[in-house]
Amino acid sequence: MKPRTMDLFWRTASWLSGLTVSASVMFLIGFLLWQGIHALSPALFFGDTAWQDALFGRKPVFEGIWPAVVGTLSLVVLASLIAVPIGVAAGIYLSEYATIRQCRWIGSLVDLLSATPSIVMGLFGFTLILLLRRTMLPNAQTGLMLAAACIALIVLPYLIATTRASLQGIPEESRLLGASLGLTKWQHIRHTLIPLSAKGILGGVVLAIGRAAEDTAVILMTGVMARAGMPRNLWDKFEALPFQVYYLAAEHRNAAELAQGFGTALVLLIVTAALFGFSYWIERQAARRWDSG
Amino acid sequence: MIRSLFKMYCGLGLVLLVLGLSAGSAASGALDVFKGLEGTIQIAGGTAHIPVMNDAAKAIMTANPKIRILVEGGGSGIGVQKVGEGLVDIGNTGRPLTEQEIAQYGLKSFPFALDGVAVVVHPSNPVTNLTAQQVRDIFSGAITRWKDVGGNDAPIHLFTRDEASGTREVFWEKALKKGSVASSANVVASNGAMKVAVAQDKDAIGYAGIGHVDASIKGIKLDGVAPTQENAMNGSYPVTRKLYMNTKGEPKPLVKAFIDYILSSEGLQIIQKHGYLPL
Amino acid sequence: MRSRRFAASRAIRYIARREIWIERVLFLAAGLSAAVVVAIFSMLTWFCLPLFTEHRLGAVLEWRWDPIHQHFGILPMLFTSCLLTIIALIVAFPLTIGICSLLHGVLRNGVLHRMLLFLLHFMTGIPTVIYGFVSVFVLVPLLRWVFEAGTGFSLLAAGLTLSVLILPTMVLVLHAELDQAEARYRLTAEALGFSPEQTIRTVLLPACRRALVVTVLLGMGRAVGDTLVSLMVAGNAAQVPHSIFDSVRTLTAHIALVLATDSHSMAYQSVFAAGLFLFLLMSCFQAFLRFWAKHGTVFK
């Protein structure tokens, strides 16, 4: 009978898809673990330098990825410091204060921002430096601050979206609280809405952090180097984990550097997996709150 | 809750500021010429120079932690452009500067080593010798299978360098006699990347500096002449080039010290260790 | 000591002023976020301006990229970007439908459902560079060995890797829509005696036609905008591909390569033209997305 064979075909096809994709991902993780697990050791991070000296940059680290870890960490922290206040504030405005027209316009432009490819954002950062060099600051260079600002721009739409979604997700009864207590608009937002949506916003922040940590295309154009040591100040060149992975894949000089590449990839995967897991857990908590309520 | 978040935010900013402004501790250098100096040297350009620059940087930075040396690649073209525009202190090139470049940017050249450009293949490739005409035909795409030049019955996989590369320029002028390179050739961005690409592919052919040839790839004899540094020195291997460090005008004291270090006897050892010929 | 007589009205005036200022600050934040994308577009156009004013646009709209011989055409790269996206979609879309059918059919509840969903969520967190990294060391040699055509760095390798990259996002978006459709139609379908596969095939998927288009558009957007995968595994030859085993270069990889290596001014301008192309392409996708999506913004 026709429906039965069609069903069988459909079922087989869906099982195949599921198995293919699961197998590929499991293989990817397994391969990285298998090749990279040997490389995981203090030598991966610090090379020949003692860890006490390397930790705060007292002695330079050669052939170790600690500067890359510090670089990625600095990028993430700086980008978050820039993006989180602006993103959450914009999200609050769009959700609570904006008129329909403003919502549509600003929403469209923010959507466009989210659609910008990361290499174009890196190009933007690079041209910013070119412009500055031609006009106001002839000594301007690419560096940590520029890269962090560009990453903050990439990450901004995520923050705005999650803030908006969390605020919109608050049920009507809770919103009536503010009016019933005679709170002003801002007092209502600050004391009622934000505490209720805090978990959702936090989930968005963690997601943004994960995105900032894994980005490569932006930093390619705005100051990352394969060997730059610890960044000495906010305008310095820096290293970063994803760029190390790319560089070592393309240009490892011997088997030891290749092993280091696998180790770096594994470290990056662990870091992003941890961030992702944390964000997933927070999201589940936030969702559960409204389900049970 | 917002207040505590705000406090955390300010605290984080403060920590960053402190970390950002803190400098490394002082330690006197054993390398005499760098004693008492401090600052940053930025180097960019030719990828053939990178191993030598990295080793020199490591020696200097270990001896004097107040000095910071940043090395990056990009190719000779990038080296010229960046040093000309003042973005870096030393621009490395694997080819001599053109008149126009010297005039436009006011650059000074410091040659420090002799290197050759070898045609490289995978170590398991049975081909060991190619005529100049065969090399030209292979790279232009006229010959597409290895058995036409005495190898296995396999397709030839071409690898070439990007446009900014000095290695590519020298190879194009002296080996290919300005012939064309097939547009289907894979493009890699540095000598190191060329090495990795050829080492991983049994049917690959490419070109790299002789200093980059090691056990993972094999240099091919060109018209019977082996691509060794001796042959480059005595002139029998035609595809050679000098490695240059270039600065914009007279170099600053710290940069001058670095250049002197490369040209000193310790620098000589580093150059030789990486397979180049000191001048 | 200030009189306490009008303390209440003073407090009210203070709070009212504070409210106004807070609204202004929040508006500033929102306005800034919106203004950024305008700044990016202006910057790109400004740097492309010489191409238009000096009538050199034709130089960039060529089919050959060969700076040594003064050819600065980026059309091969544009063609590759589009072709690569289509290939990635051809692989990813059926897989998306398949996995969604699995999630809503046979595995509707239970441990496997949750595990599959968790795996998909996890995939969205894997960095792009890791996909590229594993492809370079596994997929490329595999393709070289299996097909014996080309170096392995090819359109096919990039297409396959990209499809795995865009898959999780596509599945999660479609899954969310199917969940909603399911809530509406499942009981009816079961009452009519449909099997799970029939329900999905004939009821749920057709009900989510809009979501299917959204899914495809999202996947296309992600595939066009990706840089690292094509930079690492596509081979980077600036040519128009004649087979899927040819080495190719996308617009994104072109920007990364040229700015990191080239130094002629015409090449610089071609890069800005490439950036503008990309930006316009993505804007088109976004415009279509807004037109098709039911509720405004869909991210990631």
Side-chain angles (χ1 to χ4, degrees):
Chain A
M1 284 192 285
K2 265 225 152 139
R4 292 286 304 275
T5 43
M6 204 43 191
D7 276 1
L8 207 61
F9 167 71
W10 200 264
R11 190 179 289 208
T12 333
S14 33
W15 271 109
L16 269 176
S17 327
L19 285 171
T20 323
V21 174
S22 317
S24 321
V25 178
M26 302 297 237
F27 174 77
L28 188 143
I29 302 175
F31 180 72
L32 271 183
L33 273 172
W34 172 50
Q35 296 274 35
I37 205 96
H38 322 289
L40 283 185
S41 68
L44 174 68
F45 289 93
F46 302 115
D48 307 318
T49 328
W51 67 268
Q52 302 94 323
D53 294 321
L55 220 50
F56 292 108
R58 260 182 279 131
K59 283 223 184 85
V61 173
F62 305 104
E63 287 118 35
I65 59 170
W66 177 246
V69 172
V70 170
T72 299
L73 216 72
S74 322
L75 268 180
V76 162
V77 169
L78 277 173
S80 310
L81 283 180
I82 300 173
V84 168
I86 301 180
V88 173
I92 295 175
Y93 184 82
L94 285 175
S95 164
E96 305 297 317
Y97 286 90
T99 65
I100 304 265
R101 245 187 62 194
Q102 281 175 340
C103 241
R104 209 180 310 147
W105 276 102
I106 300 183
S108 307
L109 288 174
V110 170
D111 275 349
L112 209 57
L113 185 63
S114 76
T116 316
S118 46
I119 192 91
V120 174
M121 191 64 79
L123 192 59
F124 174 66
F126 183 74
T127 57
L128 211 60
I129 290 289
L130 280 183
L131 265 182
L132 283 177
R133 284 184 75 88
R134 286 186 203 175
T135 53
M136 294 187 287
L137 295 167
N139 291 323
Q141 292 248 19
T142 55
L144 197 56
M145 201 63 211
L146 179 73
C150 290
I151 293 185
L153 293 178
I154 293 262
V155 157
L156 205 58
Y158 294 114
L159 284 167
I160 298 181
T162 39
T163 313
R164 265 178 98 177
S166 324
L167 283 170
Q168 306 280 24
I170 299 176
E172 201 53 39
E173 303 92 56
S174 309
R175 282 178 177 266
L176 289 173
L177 260 175
S180 67
L181 287 172
L183 299 174
T184 63
K185 188 147 190 174
W186 173 246
Q187 286 171 333
H188 170 55
I189 294 178
R190 186 182 151 183
H191 296 284
T192 320
L193 296 184
I194 292 195
L196 284 175
S197 58
K199 281 231 168 72
I201 298 180
L202 192 61
V205 170
V206 177
L207 201 71
I209 290 180
R211 183 71 184 83
E214 69 131 343
D215 184 86
T216 326
V218 172
I219 57 180
L220 263 178
M221 322 250 84
T222 50
V224 77
M225 285 177 66
R227 253 196 227 192
M230 309 267 278
R232 287 269 169 107
N233 54 54
L234 292 177
W235 312 100
D236 210 358
K237 308 273 190 209
F238 57 96
E239 293 180 26
L241 283 175
F243 181 70
Q244 284 295 106
V245 173
Y246 163 66
Y247 185 77
L248 287 171
E251 295 191 35
H252 51 267
R253 278 186 289 157
N254 46 48
E257 282 195 6
L258 182 60
Q260 191 184 44
F262 276 103
T264 317
L266 196 57
V267 168
L268 183 61
L269 192 61
I270 292 175
V271 166
T272 46
L275 282 171
F276 154 80
F278 187 44
S279 147
Y280 189 61
W281 178 75
I282 293 181
E283 253 176 88
R284 289 283 294 273
Q285 296 275 54
R288 214 173 285 150
R289 190 202 195 111
W290 298 129
D291 284 346
S292 59
Chain B
M1 158 105 160
I2 293 192
R3 193 163 293 161
S4 55
L5 271 177
F6 187 66
K7 274 197 218 156
M8 198 166 67
Y9 182 88
C10 287
L12 208 55
L14 208 65
V15 165
L16 267 179
L17 206 63
V18 168
L19 274 178
L21 299 176
S22 61
S25 66
S28 229
L31 292 160
D32 294 341
V33 80
F34 289 99
K35 221 177 194 133
L37 286 176
E38 65 175 48
T40 309
I41 308 178
Q42 291 212 21
I43 307 176
T47 56
H49 311 56
I50 290 185
V52 173
M53 299 281 139
N54 274 339
D55 271 4
K58 183 170 174 174
I60 298 171
M61 289 204 284
T62 322
N64 184 347
K66 275 193 164 186
I67 299 181
R68 199 142 162 267
I69 305 178
L70 303 172
V71 180
E72 62 176 337
S76 306
I78 286 286
V80 169
Q81 189 189 21
K82 282 199 167 173
V83 76
E85 303 207 353
L87 284 162
V88 296
D89 301 304
I90 300 180
N92 289 329
T93 52
R95 57 165 173 82
L97 295 174
T98 65
E99 294 295 327
Q100 192 216 0
E101 284 166 347
I102 299 179
Q104 185 183 1
Y105 294 122
L107 301 174
K108 272 197 73 158
S109 251
F110 300 91
F112 66 94
L114 186 69
D115 185 26
V117 180
V119 176
V120 292
V121 296
H122 193 267
S124 70
N125 197 322
V127 173
T128 52
N129 183 25
L130 287 172
T131 66
Q133 185 59 41
Q134 282 176 322
V135 169
R136 277 198 288 276
D137 287 336
I138 288 176
F139 275 91
S140 67
I143 300 181
T144 53
R145 297 198 73 88
W146 279 112
K147 75 170 172 8
D148 294 336
V149 291
N152 304 321
D153 185 18
I156 298 183
H157 295 159
L158 277 178
F159 285 86
T160 184
R161 288 286 305 280
D162 51 282
E163 280 86 35
S165 162
T167 314
R168 184 202 58 79
E169 182 126 357
V170 170
F171 186 72
W172 178 64
E173 270 182 36
K174 299 194 178 171
L176 296 183
K177 301 284 189 283
K178 303 208 176 182
S180 66
V181 177
S183 63
S184 59
N186 288 349
V187 174
V188 291
S190 71
N191 274 300
M194 177 69 84
K195 207 174 85 145
V196 167
V198 171
Q200 287 181 333
D201 186 349
K202 280 193 330 312
D203 305 318
I205 187 170
Y207 50 88
I210 297 180
H212 274 264
V213 175
D214 62 8
S216 63
I217 51 178
K218 183 169 79 171
I220 294 276
K221 291 192 214 174
L222 197 60
D223 286 327
V225 182
T228 61
Q229 297 293 22
E230 291 76 45
N231 287 344
M233 193 63 156
N234 64 37
S236 51
Y237 189 76
V239 191
T240 58
R241 41 74 175 278
K242 294 200 190 132
L243 299 180
Y244 302 83
M245 290 185 281
N246 307 291
T247 57
K248 192 175 172 99
E250 277 304 318
K252 299 185 320 220
L254 180 60
V255 176
K256 187 97 182 56
F258 181 82
I259 296 178
D260 291 338
Y261 179 76
I262 298 271
L263 297 171
S264 74
S265 58
E266 280 188 44
L268 229 72
Q269 286 178 355
I270 299 178
I271 295 172
Q272 280 174 328
K273 179 178 125 190
H274 285 286
Y276 301 116
L277 282 171
L279 289 174
Chain C
M1 178 66 85
R2 280 167 97 175
S3 147
R4 286 162 68 181
R5 250 174 111 185
F6 298 106
S9 63
R10 248 186 283 123
I12 292 174
R13 267 180 283 134
Y14 163 72
I15 290 180
R17 249 180 288 134
R18 195 179 71 168
E19 288 285 312
I20 295 177
W21 272 108
I22 288 179
E23 182 172 345
R24 284 188 190 155
V25 165
L26 292 179
F27 177 70
L28 198 67
L32 198 71
S33 317
V36 167
V37 75
V38 175
I40 296 178
F41 182 70
S42 321
M43 188 82 88
L44 283 174
T45 324
W46 172 266
F47 275 87
C48 279
L49 226 49
L51 278 177
F52 291 96
T53 55
E54 294 170 25
H55 301 287
R56 276 191 279 169
L57 195 61
V60 170
L61 292 180
E62 254 192 51
W63 286 97
R64 266 189 78 186
W65 170 265
D66 193 0
I68 312 167
H69 297 114
Q70 304 302 313
H71 289 284
F72 298 102
I74 58 171
L75 288 183
M77 277 66 92
L78 182 62
F79 181 73
T80 305
S81 280
C82 297
L83 196 58
L84 192 60
T85 311
I86 293 174
I87 292 179
L89 272 172
I90 290 178
V91 177
F93 190 66
L95 285 176
T96 312
I97 306 275
I99 294 184
C100 279
S101 309
L102 207 60
L103 284 172
H104 287 267
V106 181
L107 293 181
R108 209 157 24 94
N109 298 305
V111 181
L112 278 180
H113 175 101
R114 278 202 296 274
M115 275 175 61
L116 190 56
L117 219 50
F118 177 75
L119 192 69
L120 286 163
H121 269 105
F122 182 73
M123 279 172 79
T124 62
I126 299 181
T128 328
V129 72
I130 302 268
Y131 282 115
F133 188 78
V134 174
S135 282
V136 167
F137 293 110
V138 175
L139 189 62
V140 168
L142 189 70
L143 285 177
R144 195 165 51 218
W145 178 67
V146 166
F147 290 106
E148 289 181 17
T151 62
F153 292 104
S154 55
L155 196 55
L156 185 63
L160 288 175
T161 316
L162 264 182
S163 64
V164 179
L165 187 74
I166 64 179
L167 191 77
T169 321
M170 290 171 75
V171 170
L172 290 174
V173 167
L174 192 59
H175 173 65
E177 274 301 314
L178 279 175
D179 259 345
Q180 290 190 357
E182 210 177 1
R184 288 199 300 272
Y185 297 117
R186 170 154 301 281
L187 285 179
T188 322
E190 274 188 21
L192 285 171
F194 284 14
S195 68
E197 287 77 32
Q198 272 179 313
T199 323
I200 297 170
R201 214 171 64 236
T202 53
V203 178
L204 295 180
L205 282 176
C208 292
R209 255 188 288 255
R210 271 195 158 188
L212 286 174
V213 179
V214 168
T215 306
V216 167
L217 282 172
L218 269 179
M220 281 176 95
R222 196 106 200 254
V224 163
D226 183 78
T227 316
L228 261 304
V229 168
S230 55
L231 193 57
M232 290 170 93
V233 297
N236 298 321
Q239 59 167 353
V240 178
H242 297 288
S243 88
I244 49 170
F245 301 108
D246 275 351
S247 170
V248 289
R249 192 192 288 199
T250 57
L251 277 176
T252 45
H254 182 70
I255 297 179
L257 278 171
V258 172
L259 274 187
T261 59
D262 217 295
S263 52
H264 306 275
S265 66
M266 191 59 205
Y268 257 50
Q269 277 168 10
S270 81
V271 157
F272 290 109
L276 198 60
F277 259 127
L278 270 174
F279 191 79
L280 291 173
L281 214 61
M282 296 295 283
S283 315
C284 287
F285 286 147
Q286 200 62 31
F288 280 129
L289 208 62
R290 270 190 93 78
F291 180 69
W292 278 98
K294 259 193 273 195
H295 303 292
T297 64
V298 188
F299 289 123
K300 216 174 193 309

